């Protein structure tokens, strides 16, 4: 392994890293927003919207991100909507992640026993007070581990972006290998940058789990 | 003594299954009514109807002169006046004991937090749980949790307190510590409707006992009439199941 090669590639990797983090996190924020809306729609049996929400979850959870990206990137222009690779990446990740997040949030909401609602109602709490003070905090602490797992999964899924020529980490590594054949250096840098991107998320996730789960579960 | 709660011709049906059939009951202020009967007879459903957790198909529920049976709008307001404690305690697991007790007065009655906390601490001290105020429910025993649940209902100053098999999930010693609290509430003149399988306790605490079977009130009377001179065969048979003398 040649240190000179490593250092000469470093700026390109940093650039790719920043882009990957940016698109990744925008996608995750979209995913969380979609997830919350879809989970509420299903949990509260909203008429008309519920079957649509369920169909969305099944469609996006059961198709690969690559296929979804192709539809957005190459399909939409056919009906006159052109999107940049960055927007396509963020939206695609958001739509895929939304279906996963929706199921995580919903499992938390569904896991709070009905008796919790009843005892809160018996105390005279309104539906909104009951939801805000009793159901939501419990649902969130139940959902936290799977939400953190989804975030890590989605950040890794960004590696698919290279298929739509987004200059992310994977694309940069493949590109450099193709041009100069310094396979070892390129792959080592690739692994290092993914670890730099994900380990802090993993640690933060553990801290968040401790904070939200201690009260209810003591761990 | 004035009448605080009156139930007239109450019927509850799930589709074509009649769970409660034409129930009539009058409860005076300060009176303790114990409801007994076999499992599935409708005792718990009856209590749940009283505070609107179940809707009713026929009849009237009159609390303190006000008909509360069918009005969805005032339901929430009326629930403040009817406290309920459940078999499974149902404390809020993400809140400390003190927060469990103070949640409803602060949120529902919009009372001053400091004032409510003082009151909560006094009530917790009364049931011997002041030292647990900063603990979470998971750190308490079943009996302790149930005493907290009673305090949580009491702090709303309900006109009537409904206790639904509150000792059914507890071991004998815990049953005793919880029932001691209920007994002291009875002595200070709380109006209570108690569903229980603890016959000794029923005898000690009740002013009136009613026996429900198949969704109907089969027999009612004072504790001594009820246990010593049961009139109906059904009640005699029910009471026999509590003795093991062959």
């Amino acid at each position: 392994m040649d240190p000179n090669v490593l250092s000469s590639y470093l700026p390109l990797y940093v650039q790719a890293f920043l882009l990957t983090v940016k698109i990744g996190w925008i996608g995750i924020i979209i995913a969380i927003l979609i997830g919350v809306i879809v989970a509420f729609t299903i949990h509260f049996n909203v008429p008309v919207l519920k079957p649509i929400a369920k169909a969305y979850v099944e469609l996006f959870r059961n198709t690969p991100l690559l296929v979804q990206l192709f539809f957005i990137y190459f399909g939409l222009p056919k009906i006159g909507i052109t999107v940049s690779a960055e927007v396509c990446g963020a939206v695609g990740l958001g739509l895929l992640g939304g279906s996963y997040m929706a199921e995580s949030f919903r499992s938390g909401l569904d896991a709070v026993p009905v008796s919790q609602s009843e005892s809160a109602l018996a105390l005279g709490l309104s539906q909104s007070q009951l939801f805000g003070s009793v159901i939501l905090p419990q649902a969130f602490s139940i959902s936290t581990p799977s939400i953190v797992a989804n975030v890590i999964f989605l950040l890794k899924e960004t590696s698919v972006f290279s298929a739509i020529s987004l200059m992310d980490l994977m694309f940069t590594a493949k590109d450099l290998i193709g041009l100069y054949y310094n396979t070892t250096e390129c792959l080592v840098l690739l692994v290092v940058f993914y670890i730099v991107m994900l380990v802090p998320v993993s640690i933060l996730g553990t801290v968040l789990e401790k904070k939200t789960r201690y009260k209810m579960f003591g761990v | 003594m004035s009448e605080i709660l009156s139930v007239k011709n109450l019927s509850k049906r799930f589709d074509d299954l009649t769970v409660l059939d034409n129930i009539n009951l009058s409860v005076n202020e300060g009176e303790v009514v114990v409801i007994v009967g076999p499992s599935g007879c409708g005792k718990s459903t009856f209590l749940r109807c009283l505070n609107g957790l179940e809707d009713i198909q026929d009849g009237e529920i009159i609390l303190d002169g006000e008909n509360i049976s069918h009005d969805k709008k005032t339901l929430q307001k009326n629930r403040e006046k009817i406290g309920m404690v459940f078999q499974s305690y149902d404390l809020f697991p993400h809140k400390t004991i003190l927060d469990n007790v103070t949640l409803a007065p602060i949120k529902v009655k919009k009372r001053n937090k400091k004032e409510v906390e003082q009151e909560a601490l006094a009530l917790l001290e009364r049931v011997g749980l002041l030292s647990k105020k900063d603990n979470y429910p998971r750190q308490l025993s079943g009996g302790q949790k149930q005493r907290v649940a009673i305090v949580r209902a009491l702090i709303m100053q309900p006109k009537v307190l409904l206790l639904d098999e509150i000792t059914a999930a507890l071991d004998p010693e815990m049953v005793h510590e919880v029932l001691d609290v209920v007994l002291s509430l009875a002595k200070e003149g709380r109006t209570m409707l108690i569903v229980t399988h603890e016959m000794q306790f029923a005898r000690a605490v009740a002013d009136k006992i009613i026996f429900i079977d198949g969704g109907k009130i089969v027999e009612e009377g004072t504790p001594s009439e009820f246990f010593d001179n049961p009139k109906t065969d059904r009640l005699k048979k029910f009471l026999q199941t509590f003795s093991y003398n062959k």
Side-chain angles (χ1 to χ4, degrees):
Chain A
M1 202 160 44
D2 186 347
N4 290 327
V5 173
L6 287 179
S7 63
S8 68
Y9 288 169
L10 202 56
L12 285 172
Y13 271 91
V14 170
Q15 218 176 357
F17 171 80
L18 292 175
L19 182 76
T20 308
V21 169
K22 186 178 93 179
I23 308 291
W25 277 102
I26 292 173
I28 286 165
I29 290 165
I30 297 172
I32 289 172
L33 290 175
I34 294 176
V36 168
I37 294 167
V38 170
F40 280 13
T41 306
I42 296 174
H43 181 75
F44 289 112
N45 282 317
V46 180
V48 188
L49 293 181
K50 187 182 174 182
I52 299 173
K54 290 198 100 159
Y56 156 77
V57 169
E58 294 309 328
L59 180 65
F60 281 86
R61 202 168 52 157
N62 297 321
T63 47
L65 179 59
L66 189 60
V67 176
Q68 295 167 16
L69 290 178
F70 280 173
F71 263 90
I72 298 169
Y73 195 63
F74 301 114
L76 287 185
K78 299 239 187 285
I79 54 167
I81 307 165
T82 319
V83 285
S84 71
E86 292 194 11
V87 171
C88 173
V91 169
L93 198 65
L95 285 170
L96 171 81
S99 65
Y100 278 82
M101 292 291 185
E103 290 296 273
S104 293
F105 286 121
R106 192 175 66 86
S107 67
L109 289 170
D110 290 355
V112 180
V114 181
S115 61
Q116 284 284 309
S117 306
E118 289 184 343
S119 71
L121 287 175
L123 287 167
L125 267 72
S126 68
Q127 288 288 348
S128 61
Q129 287 169 337
L130 148 75
F131 192 69
S133 309
V134 177
I135 307 294
L136 210 51
Q138 293 187 51
F140 187 66
S141 69
I142 294 167
S143 294
T144 307
S146 71
I147 291 168
V148 172
N150 285 346
V151 168
I152 292 170
F153 157 75
L154 289 172
L155 283 173
K156 287 191 291 190
E157 278 292 282
T158 57
S159 57
V160 175
F161 290 168
S162 58
I164 52 165
S165 309
L166 196 69
M167 300 278 275
D168 77 319
L169 283 170
M170 189 60 115
F171 185 90
T172 304
K174 279 202 277 192
D175 210 26
L176 288 171
I177 292 169
L179 285 169
Y180 306 113
Y181 304 109
N182 293 315
T183 315
T184 314
E185 286 83 354
C186 286
L187 290 181
V188 167
L189 281 170
L190 185 62
V191 169
V192 168
F193 274 96
Y194 272 118
I195 288 175
V196 169
M197 178 164 73
L198 286 161
V199 168
V201 176
S202 195
I203 291 169
L204 270 174
T206 312
V207 173
L208 183 69
E209 276 180 38
K210 276 222 152 59
K211 264 191 138 60
T212 60
R213 290 174 70 84
Y214 172 76
K215 294 173 181 174
M216 274 171 75
F217 304 103
V219 284
Chain B
M1 275 202 292
S2 61
E3 187 181 67
I4 185 106
L5 178 75
S6 156
V7 176
K8 288 175 187 159
N9 309 319
L10 184 150
S11 290
K12 164 79 188 167
R13 286 182 291 271
F14 292 109
D15 297 321
D16 52 358
L17 177 75
T18 302
V19 183
L20 292 170
D21 189 6
N22 203 21
I23 302 273
N24 287 285
L25 179 69
S26 165
V27 183
N28 287 329
E29 213 169 337
E31 199 172 25
V32 176
V33 177
V34 170
I35 303 163
V36 299
S39 289
C41 73
K43 317 181 288 286
S44 293
T45 307
F46 177 57
L47 290 194
R48 291 165 61 84
C49 286
L50 293 182
N51 77 346
L53 285 178
E54 302 285 349
D55 55 356
I56 60 173
Q57 276 63 51
D58 271 315
E60 286 181 342
I61 301 164
I62 292 155
L63 177 72
D64 208 11
E66 202 183 334
N67 188 338
I68 62 169
S69 22
H70 290 296
D71 200 343
K72 287 261 181 283
K73 282 184 209 118
T74 55
L75 185 62
Q76 194 198 331
K77 202 83 202 135
N78 287 319
R79 278 185 178 136
E80 290 177 37
K81 300 177 200 158
I82 307 174
M84 183 153 181
V85 182
F86 300 83
Q87 177 181 337
S88 49
Y89 340 117
D90 300 307
L91 297 182
F92 305 129
H94 59 299
K95 291 189 179 293
T96 62
I97 297 310
L98 185 60
D99 289 342
N100 260 281
V101 176
T102 58
L103 177 75
I106 293 172
K107 290 262 175 200
V108 178
K109 289 195 166 170
K110 313 281 179 215
R111 288 180 56 196
N112 176 283
K113 190 177 174 200
K114 280 229 153 53
E115 200 184 293
V116 173
E117 281 183 354
Q118 290 307 315
E119 217 170 290
L121 294 175
L123 282 168
L124 285 173
E125 182 161 29
R126 182 177 159 182
V127 299
L129 291 172
L130 187 56
S131 62
K132 301 288 183 191
K133 68 182 169 68
D134 295 320
N135 286 99
Y136 288 97
R138 64 182 161 78
Q139 297 165 315
L140 272 60
S141 73
Q144 291 171 332
K145 278 190 257 201
Q146 199 57 291
R147 281 182 279 159
V148 173
I150 293 172
V151 166
R152 185 173 68 169
L154 276 182
I155 199 165
M156 291 298 279
Q157 294 155 336
K159 291 184 193 297
V160 179
L161 193 56
L162 313 175
L163 307 179
D164 186 11
E165 292 195 42
I166 61 167
T167 58
L170 303 175
D171 74 42
E173 282 178 322
M174 290 179 185
V175 168
H176 217 278
E177 69 190 36
V178 170
L179 294 185
D180 278 345
V181 172
V182 178
L183 211 53
S184 80
L185 293 176
K187 284 197 183 118
E188 68 176 35
R190 294 261 171 198
T191 313
M192 291 189 278
L193 269 74
I194 304 173
V195 166
T196 186
H197 289 298
E198 303 282 336
M199 292 302 141
Q200 302 259 14
F201 172 69
R203 190 171 198 148
V205 77
D207 296 307
K208 177 157 78 184
I209 304 191
I210 66 177
F211 175 62
I212 297 184
D213 188 30
K216 287 181 185 174
I217 295 184
V218 175
E219 188 163 340
E220 65 177 282
T222 63
S224 60
E225 288 167 3
F226 190 86
F227 287 107
D228 303 332
N229 293 304
K231 293 188 223 42
T232 56
D233 287 342
R234 180 67 189 94
L235 178 57
K236 279 177 198 157
K237 200 172 155 229
F238 179 73
L239 290 174
Q240 267 164 21
T241 59
F242 288 92
S243 85
Y244 291 93
N245 302 326
K246 291 280 171 191

